[in-house]
Amino acid sequence: MNAAAGPDSGRLLALTTIAVAPVCLWSYVDAADRLTWWMEALPVLIVYPLLWAVRRRFPATPLLMLLIALHAVILLVGAHYTYAEVPLFHWIRDAFDLSRNHYDRVGHLAQGFIPAIAIRELLIRTSPLRPGRWLFAIVLFSVLGVSASYELLEWLAAVLVGGEADAFLATQGDVWDTQKDMALAGLGAILAQLLLARPHNRQLAEMR
């Protein structure tokens, strides 16, 4: 199922791009670690040009565009400070006597929540799959696969770059960090489908 881009779709893409652009500029300027910035911000630099390239043939739903903008901000904030050093989450750590800065946990929850809707949209619009248990399961396992691939990428970066990749890994001394990150991505995928499937289905129906 393909849909022609309407004026509202193009307008929303323009508005979200305009909103994210200054965040991207702020994130880049005086970033804590330039190599980490490029590794963390790269998905944003890939996704927005892609959204513009396919905006007429394959426009995203408004829900997905808003979620992508939110995810971009989460990534860019983490890229600016590095995930283990986001100031607000230092304050939360100290205020609640936590063991670590948990901003990276937010990032991995989002890594499951937002891609789940993107994968769901792609599958509904390009395959015979329809909303139901099989779609739910395939989206969940696809997100877990993406999360595992990202963890492998982090491992490869650590091997190739060495100590310079520590900020990118953001394990903060937790030996189970990788497993917790993947679990949070899976939880994000489950929550996204439980909370947003109905409004997502309505928007997809309107695009037919």
Side-chain angles (χ1 to χ4, degrees):
M1 176 180 64
N2 291 320
D8 290 342
S9 175
R11 189 178 300 115
L12 183 57
L13 178 57
L15 288 173
T16 53
T17 304
I18 291 169
V20 169
V23 180
C24 188
L25 179 62
W26 162 81
S27 176
Y28 180 79
V29 175
D30 294 328
D33 183 274
R34 192 64 67 197
L35 176 62
T36 300
W37 189 90
W38 282 105
M39 290 191 289
E40 299 290 3
L42 187 61
V44 180
L45 304 179
I46 292 173
V47 167
Y48 270 93
L50 182 61
L51 286 174
W52 278 99
V54 302
R55 70 189 185 280
R56 297 189 186 280
R57 292 180 290 107
F58 202 89
T61 57
L63 175 62
L64 180 56
M65 277 193 276
L66 291 172
L67 287 173
I68 288 172
L70 173 62
H71 200 188
V73 171
I74 292 171
L75 290 170
L76 292 169
V77 170
H80 179 80
Y81 294 109
T82 77
Y83 276 77
E85 301 295 337
V86 174
L88 174 61
F89 282 75
H90 275 334
W91 177 86
I92 293 172
R93 178 198 62 195
D94 297 339
F96 294 95
D97 195 26
L98 302 176
S99 61
R100 56 177 281 156
N101 184 309
H102 282 286
Y103 188 76
D104 68 315
R105 303 299 192 212
V106 174
H108 283 280
L109 186 68
Q111 189 188 64
F113 196 96
I114 287 88
I117 300 301
I119 293 168
R120 189 176 192 275
E121 186 156 321
L122 284 171
L123 289 174
I124 290 175
R125 294 174 64 179
T126 64
S127 78
L129 284 167
R130 289 296 175 261
R133 294 176 182 176
W134 277 111
L135 179 65
F136 191 102
I138 291 171
V139 168
L140 172 59
F141 291 125
S142 296
V143 165
L144 288 171
V146 170
S147 179
S149 298
Y150 194 82
E151 296 300 329
L152 289 172
L153 177 63
E154 288 185 344
W155 166 73
L156 181 61
V159 171
L160 295 177
V161 182
E164 294 181 32
D166 287 349
F168 181 53
L169 293 173
T171 60
Q172 299 183 65
D174 186 350
V175 296
W176 300 109
D177 185 72
T178 297
Q179 289 80 3
K180 291 175 182 177
D181 289 346
M182 289 189 290
L184 281 168
L187 177 61
I190 292 170
L191 290 174
Q193 294 186 86
L194 291 176
L195 296 174
L196 300 179
R198 288 185 178 180
H200 193 216
N201 289 342
R202 286 195 298 268
Q203 291 188 7
L204 289 168
E206 291 170 0
M207 298 182 73
R208 288 175 180 164

